[in-house]
């Protein structure tokens, strides 16, 4: 777990010398993790304690002259900032057991895998494949999809709920190419999920899910919260 946290932190600060790391950078990293991965306060505090231990070791070894940027740094996500998860009641309104179009599939895929909107909209048929006899989503950059960060390149198991809903059977009916061929990119950056995101907003409003700080990304928050409640180790959760 500690190694996974280190592998997230040092690229974030561009492998800066340890004496150059500031408390502001430490706070930026924790804030970024909270928003990017939907981590709970408890998990964020584990991140802070793990990294604080690294700086304490460096100070004791005579390698750190500056203060410890993670010392006494408990983290609370600011009130009123960032997206929040949907309630169970809201999910029942938004999720369809047997998806039949790209929007419904996207909602289910995000809820059961934590994938982001543009990651889903840019899926290719060949991205749904087997790895060591396990069905996975191969999330990587392609001609129609750019990933948010390098860490976003990953393999995600296809949840059994998606198999039951018919995702594999649907994918096997398609030729090579987009998993959702009816989707078109939009906006100045030609993002594959531009219009899909707009459809989702109309869908949730039509079904009475109208409140601040909820969006398609809230489904990723639900996924992250489920991992946390299930006691999934940080290293495994971070990989998703």
């Amino acid at each position: 777990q500690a190694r996974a946290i280190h592998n997230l932190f040092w690229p974030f600060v561009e492998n800066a010398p340890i004496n150059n790391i500031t408390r502001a950078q430490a706070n930026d990293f924790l804030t970024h993790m909270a928003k990017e991965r939907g981590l709970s306060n408890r998990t964020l505090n584990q991140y802070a304690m793990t990294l604080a231990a690294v700086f304490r070791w460096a100070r004791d070894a005579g390698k750190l002259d500056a203060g410890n940027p993670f010392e006494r740094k408990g983290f609370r996500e600011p009130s009123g900032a960032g997206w929040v998860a949907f309630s169970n009641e809201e999910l029942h309104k938004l999720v369809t057991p047997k998806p039949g179009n790209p929007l419904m599939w996207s909602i289910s895929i995000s809820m059961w895998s934590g994938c982001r909107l543009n990651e889903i909209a840019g899926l290719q048929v060949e991205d749904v494949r087997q790895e060591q006899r396990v069905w996975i989503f191969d999330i990587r950059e392609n001609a129609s999809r750019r990933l948010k960060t390098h860490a976003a390149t990953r393999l995600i198991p296809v949840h059994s709920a998606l198999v039951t809903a018919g995702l594999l059977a649907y994918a096997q009916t398609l030729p090579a190419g987009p998993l959702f061929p009816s989707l078109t990119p939009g906006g100045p950056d030609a993002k594959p999920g531009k219009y899909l995101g707009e459809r989702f907003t109309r869908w949730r409003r039509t079904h009475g899910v109208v409140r601040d700080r909820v969006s398609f990304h809230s489904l990723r928050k639900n996924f992250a919260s489920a991992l946390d409640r299930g006691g999934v180790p940080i290293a495994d959760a971070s990989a998703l």
Side-chain angles (χ1 to χ4, degrees), residues 61-187:
K63 300 179 182 294
L64 178 66
D65 300 321
N68 187 332
F70 284 97
E71 206 157 52
R72 296 186 297 277
K73 183 172 281 297
F75 183 84
R76 290 184 179 275
E77 196 169 356
S79 175
W83 303 115
V84 297
F86 291 113
S87 68
N88 288 337
E89 181 182 357
E90 289 170 334
L91 288 175
H92 282 300
K93 294 178 180 179
L94 298 173
V95 179
T96 300
K98 290 291 184 181
N101 59 56
L103 176 60
M104 296 298 99
W105 275 122
S106 298
I107 293 171
S108 293
I109 291 171
S110 184
M111 185 179 71
W112 291 111
S113 73
C115 286
R116 301 174 180 86
L117 177 65
N118 286 301
E119 292 173 344
I120 297 169
L123 280 171
Q124 301 291 300
V125 172
E126 56 267 31
D127 293 336
V128 184
R129 61 180 181 84
Q130 281 190 306
E131 179 90 1
Q132 298 181 359
R133 301 178 66 182
V134 176
W135 283 98
I136 60 164
F137 294 113
D138 188 352
I139 306 298
R140 53 191 167 80
E141 289 198 348
N142 57 38
S144 64
R145 176 181 64 208
R146 295 193 62 184
L147 298 182
K148 193 167 184 179
T149 66
H150 176 71
T153 301
R154 63 207 191 277
L155 303 179
I156 303 175
V158 175
H159 197 282
S160 59
L162 295 173
V163 177
T164 301
L167 179 65
L168 300 183
Y170 162 74
Q172 289 164 3
T173 66
L174 300 173
L179 186 63
F180 302 115
S182 63
L183 297 180
T184 56

Side-chain angles (χ1 to χ4, degrees), residues 14-89:
E14 300 179 341
N15 295 309
I18 196 166
N19 275 294
N20 293 354
I21 306 299
T22 65
R23 288 186 68 81
Q25 286 175 301
N27 190 66
D28 288 345
F29 171 71
L30 294 174
T31 301
H32 175 77
M33 289 294 103
K35 293 180 178 179
E36 178 73 11
R37 297 177 179 271
L39 302 182
S40 68
N41 290 343
R42 182 180 66 181
T43 301
L44 288 168
N45 285 331
Q46 289 176 336
Y47 274 50
M49 289 187 291
T50 298
L51 291 166
V54 174
F55 285 87
R56 281 196 300 273
W57 172 88
R59 184 174 55 201
D60 293 343
K63 300 179 182 294
L64 178 66
D65 300 321
N68 187 332
F70 284 97
E71 206 157 52
R72 296 186 297 277
K73 183 172 281 297
F75 183 84
R76 290 184 179 275
E77 196 169 356
S79 175
W83 303 115
V84 297
F86 291 113
S87 68
N88 288 337
E89 181 182 357

